[in-house]
Amino acid sequence: MRAPTRRHRTRRWLTICAAAASAALVAVPATAASGPGAALGPYGNPYRAHTMKPLDDGGDKGGEADEIAEGAAQYAEARTSPGTLTPGAYGAAWNALNRLPSTGGAWRHVTGLTYNSDDPRYRDTDSNSSGGYGDVTGRTAALAADRDGYVYAGSAGGGVWRSRTGGGHWQPISDALPSQSTGALALDHGHLWLGTGEATTNSDAFLGSGVYVLSDPRHGTFTARDRVGGTELDSTTVHQLRFGGGRVWAATSRGVWSHSSTDLRGPWKLEFAPNPSYLPGGSHAGDPAAPYKNITNDIAIDPKDPAKVLLAVGWRSGDDYNGFYAKDTSDSWQRVNALGDLPTTSTQVGEVTFARAADGSRYYAIDESPAQLTGGDPNSSLAGIFVSASGSPFGPWTKVTDYKALSGDGSALTSAKDMVGIQAWYNQFLQVDPNDPKHVYAGLEEVHESKDGGATWSAVGPYWNFNFPCWSVDPAKQTGDCHQTTHSDQHAVTVGSYHGQTYLYVGNDGGIYRRPLNGSQDASGHATDWTSLNDGTIDTLQYYSVGVGTDRDFGGVAVNGGLQDNGQSMLRGRDKVMGSNFGGDGGDTLTDPANGCDIAQEYVYLALNVTQNCAVNNGAWATDPTKATSYSVAPPDNASQEARFIAPLTADVQDGNTWIAGGRHIWVQTHGYAIRDPKEWTSAYDLGAGHVATAVAAEGGKVYAAWCGPCDSKGFTRGIAVGNADGTGWHQLGLPTTGAPGTVPDRYLAGLALDPHDANHVYLAVNGFSRHWTSGAGAGYGHLFESRDGGYTWSDISANLPDVPADSVLALPSGGLVVATDLGVLYRAPHATRWERVGRLPAVAVLQVKLGPDGRLYAATHGRGIWSIDLRSCR
């Protein structure tokens, strides 16, 4: 069976879409620069990617890693521009949110069931069904397991979960913590250690609130009282927790710290920071580059002498301080300049992961090269995998493989610009078999296994089956003729046992998978025994859009939504399992309230597909193109990529057949879900070169379009254009940047909503934080603004709204307002001025809210799925 036809020039079937521009509590920028003046993340988050280059001409010639970095950059810009942020903003907003009164009512968990990415109902042109992932959930950042079947999974934004059955039947155990982002998990002497703050350096990673320890992980749950030390590690990310000599070591975004692992009293000790003057309180703490100057990745402790410690330090895109450090005879930390084959120069030491054999006989390391990442090698950023056969972290180290060899081990990543390790700055894990020091697993985009100490490898968890001839659209074949594989983009690994069987557990952008530690392989070296553990009891799905419509076939409502690296989910009225009818990254979505199978689904850069049957297809299109049920209808700004990574899309409030899409241009089409040709879009207005739409709204033919450009902190500008869908009457509103009270702040304009009864009555949601936390001229105050004269004058209606990024706003027919923020959902009753918290959601970001035809409010959370609540009691 032939591979799927690429129906749109910018759609990438082999999409390593790790970090779409999706909502989160803390953005992790991927902007270009690596020196002073580079855009910083919220709360001083230090992550950004290599310098972006223009993507290629749209063919499948690579560029997926660039897409991740670009999505990361654009997401971060919304929360940082026009300046930088200082630590403490999230904590202050969380405290303010908890002081608000509640509307009452209870949220209903809509997506708390299995999500089958290979659902055979959806074998249409733009579905990734039969790719081999099976049941999926959101990104897993850390794992730990014991010998008695207890497995602990730390998600990117949905907290920590526990299984007592070797995986599956999951229970959340960290919902009481203020941070639901996991950086590291580790079991030590029966205690579960949690380092909050994901350190995968992508767009939607969250800063944490420190390190916590749970003394009874098999039965207990984390509370704020379980934090170790004081505030030393607040507003950091924790990359690794390592143990040795009675101490726990933490590699963080503010240096390496240690603490007694038995006496939990007292503060953490700062062991090493390469640039201490850039830490909080230092002489350069206010420097724009400060958050990038003390990033650490891992710690290797000599098993024979715990006093000998090697630190892997450095920012993935390169800095002068990047390298390895150890204590000298005077007990001070010094750069190590010779470790055998393991590079030590600052240009060659980037993201690093260590793994030690249980018997202490070997150390392994993965090293990502900043030089390769920033343009030295377009094919991969992986410097190599190395081994110290002496068991000492000080070597001598020998290089055992590189990306070229790994790309030939049965990997699907063999094309130029897309070889193994192209995302080594984002994907890394290492695990040594506890019983065999030469049996090692490496996680990059795929899972690789070596049984001879690294001399030879097999891609046991290959990336997408689409690159292999065994792929099939046949609905009778769940994964084609391939065996099930893992989801791509590996982040976490552990070994545990259950009922006498020892398993390898891996965590990635699709959740948690396992196989026997000594499992079976086919003739290609691919594993035949992967099992998904995403059984529906764990929901860490990372949505940033939701659509709801009446299910005409089965009753109730049909709910769909766009996801980070998990396509679009589809839940029909009678479904017991969600399916995936659209692959890659799911972006924004439009759904006909009267017919939930009329759907417009976005990929990236305004790549739009439309379906009028929920994209149900038995694969017949593969031999008869006329039987396709999805149609590519992208506006022209998609081809030129003159649009945000996730671009705004809406329908006219009074005419659901009139759609507005925003890129550089404001595009209009009037055929609704019957559109079949991209040429049906017309340009109503050109925002100008370098300007891109960030939010759009329309009512009765009147259109509002918020925009930015440049959108980062260097020269940041923003505005609002208003005109008619037919292209007449367009003009730019005057938005002063003085920062005076009542003035719309000079920050990212994230959402627009119109009074259903008056198109001149408009509401504006503003992202980022106030000037209290944000540097930059005109940053201003406020998050919700109102105009009753078509945008000529504005009033700040934020009132008691917490100082937190506002992602979207919804105007209810009753006159009430709903706002989705990075910390939950807020409501203002008709004729009221004060805001209330809507029910009690887990501490997770909400990107979008929609009112369903059933009268319920639906919230797309970024880390805990989709939820709904009945708002009738508080209207």
Side-chain angles (χ1 to χ4, degrees), residues 90-113:
Y90 166 65
W94 180 248
N95 291 334
L97 182 72
N98 285 324
R99 289 193 295 266
L100 290 181
S102 175
T103 61
W107 287 95
R108 178 188 300 166
H109 191 186
V110 176
T111 54
L113 71 171

Side-chain angles (χ1 to χ4, degrees), residues 65 368-369 372-373 379-383 403 406-407 411 413 418-427 444-446 448:
E368 169 261 330
S369 164
Q372 290 176 222
L373 177 66
N379 299 313
S380 176
S381 63
L382 178 67
Y403 77 83
L406 290 173
S407 292
S411 167
L413 301 177
D418 276 310
M419 301 186 80
V420 171
I422 187 68
Q423 292 174 195
W425 53 268
Y426 174 68
N427 307 131
L444 292 158
E445 298 77 28
E446 305 162 302
H448 304 265

Side-chain angles (χ1 to χ4, degrees), residues 131-203:
Y133 289 178
D135 298 336
V136 297
T137 192
R139 186 169 68 248
T140 296
L143 289 166
D146 65 19
R147 297 180 179 179
D148 297 318
Y150 287 84
V151 183
Y152 307 93
S155 67
V160 181
W161 299 69
R162 173 177 58 216
S163 170
R164 296 185 172 97
T165 58
H169 303 288
W170 299 95
Q171 299 172 313
I173 61 172
S174 67
D175 281 2
L177 296 184
S179 174
Q180 297 298 303
S181 172
T182 308
L185 285 174
L187 284 166
D188 181 64
H189 294 90
H191 294 177
L192 180 64
W193 290 73
L194 163 63
T196 60
E198 187 190 12
T200 47
T201 69
N202 56 294
S203 73

Side-chain angles (χ1 to χ4, degrees), residues 335-360:
R335 186 188 296 270
V336 177
N337 293 315
L339 289 170
D341 290 347
L342 185 62
T344 58
T345 60
S346 60
T347 59
Q348 294 295 332
V349 180
E351 186 80 3
V352 172
T353 299
F354 291 121
R356 188 178 75 191
D359 64 1

Side-chain angles (χ1 to χ4, degrees), residues 518-556:
N518 292 285
S520 61
Q521 301 177 18
D522 62 19
S524 299
H526 304 152
T528 64
D529 45 16
W530 286 108
T531 299
S532 169
L533 301 178
N534 310 304
D535 61 358
T537 62
I538 182 171
D539 182 6
T540 58
L541 290 168
Q542 296 163 289
Y543 285 93
Y544 48 88
S545 69
V546 59
V548 190
T550 299
D551 194 324
R552 292 183 175 181
D553 296 324
F554 307 123

Side-chain angles (χ1 to χ4, degrees), residues 303-485:
K304 299 175 183 177
D305 184 356
K308 296 179 179 179
V309 179
L310 182 70
L311 309 180
V313 174
W315 168 233
R316 70 185 188 199
S317 296
D319 201 308
D320 290 343
Y321 74 87
N322 282 34
F324 296 98
Y325 292 80
K327 284 188 176 181
D328 62 14
T329 55
S330 64
D331 206 36
S332 62
W333 294 94
Q334 300 295 332
R335 186 188 296 270
V336 177
N337 293 315
L339 289 170
D341 290 347
L342 185 62
T344 58
T345 60
S346 60
T347 59
Q348 294 295 332
V349 180
E351 186 80 3
V352 172
T353 299
F354 291 121
R356 188 178 75 191
D359 64 1
S361 64
R362 284 181 169 239
Y363 249 111
Y364 293 87
I366 293 177
D367 177 36
E368 169 261 330
S369 164
Q372 290 176 222
L373 177 66
T374 54
D377 190 333
N379 299 313
S380 176
S381 63
L382 178 67
I385 300 178
F386 304 82
V387 64
S388 170
S390 70
S392 168
F394 294 92
W397 290 85
T398 301
K399 187 174 185 176
V400 293
T401 194
D402 58 18
Y403 77 83
K404 295 178 181 178
L406 290 173
S407 292
D409 71 354
S411 167
L413 301 177
T414 59
S415 302
K417 300 183 183 180
D418 276 310
M419 301 186 80
V420 171
I422 187 68
Q423 292 174 195
W425 53 268
Y426 174 68
N427 307 131
Q428 280 193 25
F429 73 55
L430 273 175
Q431 177 68 50
V432 185
D433 184 337
N435 300 310
D436 183 354
K438 290 189 175 182
H439 185 198
V440 61
Y441 284 89
L444 292 158
E445 298 77 28
E446 305 162 302
V447 181
H448 304 265
E449 180 184 20
S450 175
K451 297 181 179 179
D452 55 13
T456 60
W457 296 82
S458 298
V460 291
Y463 184 69
W464 289 116
N465 287 341
F466 294 135
N467 232 25
F468 302 118
C470 58
W471 182 86
S472 174
V473 296
D474 186 348
K477 297 179 177 181
Q478 183 78 342
T479 61
D481 291 317
C482 295
H483 300 285
Q484 179 174 313
T485 186

